[in-house]
Amino acid sequence: IFGEDYNIKDYHSWHGVLITYGLAILVIIFIQDPFEGLIYSQMFLSIQLPITIFLLIYLTSSKKIMGKFVNGLYQKIILIVVGIIVTCLNLILLWEIFYK
């Protein structure tokens, strides 16, 4: 990504590893019930999922990036509908978690 190869000795890679380990340690320290920790981790992943879906739709629909393998109109419509459905389901999940 960004024209750089992955190298664990690279400055950016170390930051990613440290952030991941730091968050994992915070979860281990502050959450007593492992099941509760699992619920929170899945909740945060569900917040991130629609961002990833729509970013991938954008990237795979770009002629500049995909060349001759770009998504067609019907594929794009189906992908956007699936992305909207996933987003709606995640919003319902978050609503139930916080306003139950």
Side-chain angles (χ1 to χ4, degrees), residues 35-94:
F35 184 72
E36 183 181 348
L38 180 64
I39 296 297
Y40 286 134
S41 71
Q42 295 306 305
M43 182 185 67
F44 289 123
L45 284 174
S46 75
I47 293 170
Q48 176 269 339
L49 184 61
I51 297 167
T52 303
I53 289 173
F54 288 111
L55 179 62
L56 286 173
I57 293 170
Y58 170 75
L59 291 174
T60 58
S61 298
S62 171
K63 182 88 170 157
K64 180 180 175 185
I65 294 171
M66 295 301 293
K68 67 179 183 175
F69 302 106
V70 68
N71 292 334
L73 177 64
Y74 295 118
Q75 288 174 326
K76 204 180 309 183
I77 291 170
I78 291 170
L79 291 171
I80 289 173
V81 168
V82 168
I84 290 170
I85 291 169
V86 169
T87 302
C88 290
L89 290 172
N90 284 330
L91 289 172
I92 292 169
L93 173 69
L94 291 174

